[in-house]
Amino acid sequence: MLNALRVLPPDGTHTILISFTPEAGRVFHEVLQINSGTSVLHVTVMGEGVNPIINLDMPTENGVFDIGAVLAGEYLERTFKMQNSSSLSIDYSIKLESLSLLRHAKSQELPSFIKPDEKMKSLVGTQNNNGQNIFDLVPSEGRIAPGATQEVTVTFAPDHPSDHYSDFVKIELFGKKESHSFQIKGMAKKNVMFVHGVDETTVNVESLSENPPSTLEEEELKGILPSVLFSVKSIAKESEFVPGSREIYVGCVRTMAVSQKKEVKGKNGEFQFENVQAITSKGFNIDPQRGMVEAGNLKPVTVTWSPPPGHDPNEPVEASIILTLKGDITEQVKVMLRAYVVSDVEDKTEKTESTENTQT
């Protein structure tokens, strides 16, 4: 009851204000007892609590919303929908972990590359050097009518190349109840064509300081190809080796830059693996060896390894192959292949650890 009772004159009336704030989605009832000098009035007050329910319509995998790849300095937009499945209007607000006042306190932990067994990992990754926010979600707050749907636009605008842009999103209802949460990721590339799905060879934590200029001459730099590492494993079972297989992805960014030539803008990319014969003798096989990638997509390429006759399972096999990428420019990437044999027990253990890390 929000207001106080008062003396009523003959034939007088008084309005009683009653508030109802349920903490669960069920029916509540209570007896309100009003006493006077000569009688007692009992009033049964009933109310129904309704759980606010928001359903998200968005492409996620293991709780991650992958924006995709964009050229550094450009921006990329994706959308998702929020549907109000309850019978009351819902006030919502979308909050980014990178803008949280507690972000600094939460980041005072050893990074994952120092403590690889640490389960609690930071969900906020690389940020822009210019101080502007990486991701922007609009509208970030509002009200959704019963049964209505609200479309949210996510803008990804990185200012330098990195594969580790990420942030953590929380959707709160009525300013306090957390309804949904998910991680959002994106990649920024220097060129239109790129390779994805290779082994991590650098840490996923970047410094905001600029890299010192290279001391090598320009001619020397031209002779050094960028390189990536790609590992494949074969499983040893009793009297045979099960061939190892894994996919590497060749991607093509859909550029929006007005500075790009018309024939490049939105153009498909091409790729080709050179000197394939050099790795065939070591048990490697690549399929397809050449192809085209549509702008904005990833093309899977399957790398298979079968231990060659007489192979020592205790020794890894190493080889390299040149991958030529044709997009806004033509460049070559050295793909270093590394293959090894593991036991069936080791393979099951690795899969279990990988699943636990993904769920974390």
Side-chain angles (χ1 to χ4, degrees):
M1 191 167 64
L2 300 179
N3 58 339
L5 297 177
R6 64 187 65 178
V7 177
L8 291 178
D11 296 328
T13 60
H14 177 63
T15 300
I16 298 176
L17 300 179
I18 299 176
S19 68
F20 176 52
T21 309
E23 295 183 353
R26 57 188 177 87
V27 177
F28 296 84
H29 72 274
E30 188 64 79
V31 177
L32 176 63
Q33 181 176 306
I34 303 175
N35 298 306
S36 67
T38 59
S39 62
V40 178
L41 177 63
H42 296 84
V43 179
T44 301
V45 182
M46 298 184 63
E48 181 180 359
V50 179
N51 286 323
I53 302 176
I54 291 289
N55 295 322
L56 297 185
D57 182 9
M58 60 189 305
T60 59
E61 183 176 353
N62 297 323
V64 177
F65 182 21
D66 193 347
I67 294 293
V70 65
L71 288 181
E74 296 187 6
Y75 69 92
L76 182 64
E77 291 183 346
R78 294 285 187 267
T79 61
F80 68 90
K81 295 180 180 180
M82 298 189 299
Q83 182 179 15
N84 181 2
S85 300
S86 58
S87 58
L88 76 162
S89 296
I90 295 179
D91 296 331
Y92 75 90
S93 61
I94 302 177
K95 298 183 178 180
L96 292 172
E97 185 68 20
S98 60
L99 301 179
S100 172
L101 298 177
L102 300 177
R103 178 191 168 193
H104 177 73
K106 292 180 180 179
S107 63
Q108 302 307 302
E109 299 178 355
L110 292 176
S112 58
F113 62 85
I114 295 180
K115 292 185 67 177
D117 59 337
E118 185 68 36
K119 292 186 178 181
M120 296 301 295
K121 297 180 181 179
S122 175
L123 298 176
V124 179
T126 302
Q127 299 295 297
N128 273 337
N129 293 336
N130 58 18
Q132 296 181 354
N133 219 41
I134 297 294
F135 300 99
D136 188 25
L137 290 85
V138 178
S140 60
E141 59 182 20
R143 173 173 293 184
I144 308 177
T149 300
Q150 175 66 59
E151 185 175 80
V152 178
T153 301
V154 183
T155 303
F156 173 45
D159 67 352
H160 68 279
S162 175
D163 288 348
H164 305 295
Y165 287 107
S166 67
D167 210 332
F168 191 63
V169 180
K170 294 181 180 179
I171 301 178
E172 294 184 353
L173 306 182
F174 300 108
K176 57 181 180 180
K177 180 182 179 180
E178 182 178 323
S179 174
H180 293 82
S181 61
F182 57 91
Q183 189 178 19
I184 186 169
K185 290 185 176 182
M187 299 183 295
K189 299 298 182 179
K190 182 179 179 181
N191 300 316
V192 169
M193 294 292 291
F194 63 94
V195 182
H196 184 59
V198 296
D199 296 2
E200 290 284 353
T201 56
T202 59
V203 298
N204 58 1
V205 179
E206 296 183 8
S207 172
L208 293 180
S209 62
E210 295 289 341
N211 292 327
S214 176
T215 57
L216 298 177
E217 298 293 336
E218 184 176 353
E219 292 298 327
E220 294 177 313
L221 291 174
K222 289 182 179 180
I224 302 177
L225 295 179
S227 59
V228 295
L229 177 64
F230 190 75
S231 301
V232 185
K233 63 183 179 182
S234 173
I235 303 175
K237 289 187 177 181
E238 297 182 357
S239 60
E240 63 176 355
F241 295 112
V242 178
S245 180
R246 186 180 163 196
E247 289 185 337
I248 187 174
Y249 297 90
V250 180
C252 180
V253 175
R254 185 184 300 278
T255 178
M256 299 173 61
V258 296
S259 60
Q260 296 286 350
K261 297 180 180 179
K262 291 184 178 180
E263 60 268 22
V264 174
K265 185 176 181 181
K267 180 183 176 181
N268 299 334
E270 299 178 10
F271 71 93
Q272 179 175 347
F273 288 91
E274 314 287 350
N275 67 324
V276 179
Q277 297 79 7
I279 65 172
T280 302
S281 60
K282 295 186 177 183
F284 292 99
N285 182 59
I286 295 180
D287 183 44
Q289 299 178 6
R290 61 185 303 172
M292 181 175 294
V293 186
E294 295 183 0
N297 291 327
L298 294 173
K299 175 75 172 182
V301 177
T302 302
V303 179
T304 306
W305 178 68
S306 299
H311 170 68
D312 183 358
N314 296 317
E315 295 293 332
V317 174
E318 296 179 345
S320 63
I321 189 172
I322 302 299
L323 171 61
T324 301
L325 304 173
K326 295 182 180 181
D328 51 343
I329 64 172
T330 298
E331 66 172 338
Q332 290 185 320
V333 178
K334 182 179 181 181
V335 181
M336 297 183 296
L337 301 173
R338 190 174 190 271
Y340 55 97
V341 177
V342 297
S343 66
D344 193 19
V345 176
E346 290 176 325
D347 181 60
K348 292 179 179 178
T349 302
E350 289 181 6
K351 287 182 178 179
T352 302
E353 293 177 351
S354 176
T355 302
E356 291 178 351
N357 293 335
T358 301
Q359 293 176 347
T360 301

